[in-house]
Amino acid sequence: MPEHVGMPSLARLTLAPRALRRGAMPEPFSCGLYACAAYRGCAHACAYCDGRAEKYFVEGDFSNDVVARSNLPELLDAELGRLSDRGAVSLGSGVSDSYQRAEAELGITGACARVLAARGWPAVLITKSDLVLKDADAWAAVASASACQVSVTVTTLDESVRAAFEPGAVPSERRLEAIGRLKEGGCSVGVLAMPLLPYIGDSDDAFRAILRRAKAAGASFVMPGGLTLRPGRQKEHFFSVLAERDPGLVEPYRRLYAEERASGIGTYAYRAERSAAWDRILLEEGMPGLLPHAIHRRLLSPPDSLFILFCHMAELYQRRGIDARALRAATGRYAAWLAGLRARARRSKPRSGGGEAEAPGLFDAMAESSPVSDGPCRGLCESPVALLARAGLDSGDLERVIDNPKLFEFARRVLADGEVFDYSSLKLT
Ligand code: SF4
């Protein structure tokens, strides 16, 4: 169990038992393979934050009882040294912002950035604060050594709406101004326009204004999203804020979220209509609505990036009314195949150092022999052709798994020829 070691003014310090969590596959939303969070609870105090939902088990006052994992940088350094499956570390979580006020005092996220830079490990970060600029040099070093993707959340350009629903966060304009500095340092930067609050900030005009402001600031993508209200603490808190600011909207919101779904989504009719409108605006403005392939291929190993690409393509096709069921099925088979290869690779490699080190990953041995594998991003920049051989493509394994000649040829062009899929034109370039 973590030990409580102190009580600074903005967060209670604990010692975390470990730094990194990971799933079998990278996460399609952030494109991180590993996750790591310095804080639990969030002083940004967004009225809609689903970190308040019971399913996340954050006890106490969500925005005031913030817990900080003070030993995270040391743990991260040690754990990265033992990993061999390379892929971006995602800083932050659904129940905290890495650059909330406590970070100015404690500097835990900044120290993690310096560890990632020293280890040459790629990173992704989502924040609502320009406090990220205090570590601009460290994130630039991560970008230079490997790759760094920062997503800045902007849900409204109306400062009165921001103040009511994100009372502890900085004004949206300050977040947008941070984009330029981060880009100058070599980071790729996108904007998460979510949640766009129903009847408050979800109109065509409101979204187009955010998109254009993000584009002018240099964002590479703008990802819109609607509001979810999970039944229980999250929904109750949101309604209490809404009733105070916009009492006339309480009934429309009650109707929108009357289904009480566990996921918190609103009615299908509303979601379908708004999603279609935001997609149309993205197309008109020529702005990708998901983290582009050209970016995530630098954050993940080629096979993991291909998995994310399949997931994103299925989403994009569905939004454009193209039947994506065969692609989704192939994606499931591919993910299971890749997870199986990894598991077999782990079982077949002896542990070293008294069982402390993680077994070498699937692409480790290939990276050793790659002509471009000497640098810190070993395993990410390895020869795709060698990777195909290692992963069994040359023996037809992937062709069998994908079981779709057209999709296999697509995968071959991505992996072997290094082609990039454009999310606006839906074409390889
Ligand atoms: S910044 Fe994110 S984690 Fe923090 S309160 Fe807002 S939505 Fe929740």
Side-chain angles (χ1 to χ4, degrees), residues 178-203:
I179 293 175
R181 272 276 304 283
L182 292 163
K183 285 202 75 166
E184 276 168 29
C187 300
S188 56
V189 188
V191 165
L192 302 184
M194 58 176 69
L196 297 169
L197 297 178
Y199 318 126
I200 297 172
D202 65 340
S203 69

Side-chain angles (χ1 to χ4, degrees), residues 45-102:
C46 304
Y48 49 74
C49 181
D50 78 347
R52 288 190 181 82
E54 284 77 359
K55 77 170 276 196
Y56 297 113
F57 301 106
V58 180
E59 298 307 329
D61 182 321
F62 181 76
S63 45
N64 288 311
D65 299 336
V66 176
V67 173
R69 298 174 171 121
S70 58
N71 60 337
L72 199 67
E74 295 76 26
L75 285 178
L76 179 64
D77 190 36
E79 290 175 29
L80 288 179
R82 297 197 294 265
L83 293 178
S84 51
D85 262 353
R86 297 191 62 87
V89 170
S90 175
L91 271 290
S93 70
V95 298
S96 66
D97 189 309
S98 300
Y99 281 100
Q100 58 181 296
R101 290 195 299 269

Side-chain angles (χ1 to χ4, degrees), residues 353-375:
E356 286 299 309
E358 176 180 280
L362 174 60
F363 307 112
D364 198 49
M366 176 182 56
E368 298 285 356
S369 60
S370 167
V372 290
S373 65
D374 295 338

Side-chain angles (χ1 to χ4, degrees), residues 307-329:
F307 165 72
I308 295 292
L309 178 55
F310 283 172
C311 293
H312 286 180
M313 285 167 64
E315 174 75 22
L316 292 165
Y317 286 179
Q318 187 175 317
R319 289 183 192 178
R320 302 229 190 145
I322 302 167
D323 187 350
R325 282 174 298 183
L327 175 56
R328 287 193 196 282

